[in-house]
Amino acid sequence: MTGGYRHEAAWNAYGPYLTMQLAHAYLLAGDPARMDALLDWVLGAAFPETAGRAAALSAWNEQRAFPVASDFAEVPSRHWYMGDIPHGSAAAEYLLLIRDILFFEADEDRDPHVYIAPGAPGLSAGGERVAVDAAPTIFGEPFGYRFTHNPDQRTLTVDITQAPQRVRFVHPCRFGAVRCGRRPRTDGSCR
């Protein structure tokens, strides 16, 4: 992998939407740093440059040619795809990834829960607020929260503004213990 997902078996090109699917897999596997690196590549791939100038006002095509992605430093000796029209699947995957960075829900083993800001590293700079309002959930009830990071106090504050009934909340904090304002659980989640 050099930036994005390289599809060398058939296309000999990068796959932007495949890169987003890989980023999504890293998010769900609990590796937000790798997810973030792939997302950065994808955002840059939407506006390719060559010789310091925009090569095209673009979107996420199905393929991104190696030469275009590398400022023509890499030109395959065999056939390669230049890329075709922008695909709605890439836009859809992008929106699904952003949603899951902010929150996603699960109902495993009759244990309904919502992961809050699983893509949190880098999600909020000091003092800035990230908000989710009235987002539909698989539980049939809307969900919303406010997320604020205060680096000086070394705190992340999550205020739940809307929540489905009988779900627990999980924030995968890698910096220390999660403390709940009410009804903390032994597994680091809150009800």
Side-chain angles (χ1 to χ4, degrees), residues 6 18 20 66 71 86 90 104-105 109 159 164-165 169 171:
R6 293 173 64 102
L18 295 172
M20 284 187 267
F66 291 154
D71 201 7
F104 68 87
E105 61 271 58
D109 301 323
D159 295 312
Q165 296 294 312
F169 305 106
H171 175 67

Side-chain angles (χ1 to χ4, degrees), residues 164-186:
Q165 296 294 312
R166 297 176 296 285
V167 300
R168 69 184 174 97
F169 305 106
V170 180
H171 175 67
C173 183
R174 292 159 182 83
F175 308 113
V178 173
R179 287 180 276 170
C180 300
R182 58 184 176 151
R183 294 193 282 164
R185 292 171 50 114
T186 57

Side-chain angles (χ1 to χ4, degrees), residues 89-176:
S89 57
E93 185 63 35
Y94 176 73
L95 293 175
L96 290 170
L97 177 58
I98 295 302
R99 182 194 190 271
D100 284 354
I101 286 170
L102 296 170
F103 85 97
F104 68 87
E105 61 271 58
D107 191 3
E108 301 158 346
D109 301 323
R110 297 185 188 150
D111 177 23
H113 51 285
V114 174
Y115 288 86
I116 299 171
L123 185 63
S124 169
E128 293 181 20
R129 183 178 291 178
V130 173
V132 171
D133 289 312
T137 68
I138 63 171
F139 307 116
E141 299 173 61
F143 176 68
Y145 73 89
R146 304 280 182 273
F147 178 96
T148 307
H149 175 216
N150 185 329
D152 295 335
Q153 293 181 3
R154 298 178 43 167
T155 60
L156 300 172
T157 303
V158 179
D159 295 312
I160 306 296
T161 57
Q162 295 173 291
Q165 296 294 312
R166 297 176 296 285
V167 300
R168 69 184 174 97
F169 305 106
V170 180
H171 175 67
C173 183
R174 292 159 182 83
F175 308 113

Side-chain angles (χ1 to χ4, degrees), residues 11-104:
W11 295 346
N12 294 311
Y14 287 101
Y17 75 92
L18 295 172
T19 302
M20 284 187 267
Q21 289 176 348
L22 183 58
H24 214 143
Y26 280 123
L27 173 68
L28 297 176
D31 192 343
R34 290 186 85 172
M35 176 272 312
D36 203 35
L38 289 167
L39 182 57
D40 283 348
W41 182 89
V42 166
L43 294 174
F47 299 95
E49 292 185 0
T50 184
R53 294 183 9 209
L57 178 57
S58 188
W60 295 299
N61 298 350
E62 184 176 16
Q63 302 96 5
R64 176 70 65 212
F66 291 154
V68 173
S70 68
D71 201 7
F72 291 89
E74 180 181 2
V75 178
S77 59
R78 57 188 194 268
H79 75 278
W80 48 279
Y81 282 82
M82 188 62 193
D84 56 7
I85 64 171
H87 283 250
S89 57
E93 185 63 35
Y94 176 73
L95 293 175
L96 290 170
L97 177 58
I98 295 302
R99 182 194 190 271
D100 284 354
I101 286 170
L102 296 170
F103 85 97
F104 68 87

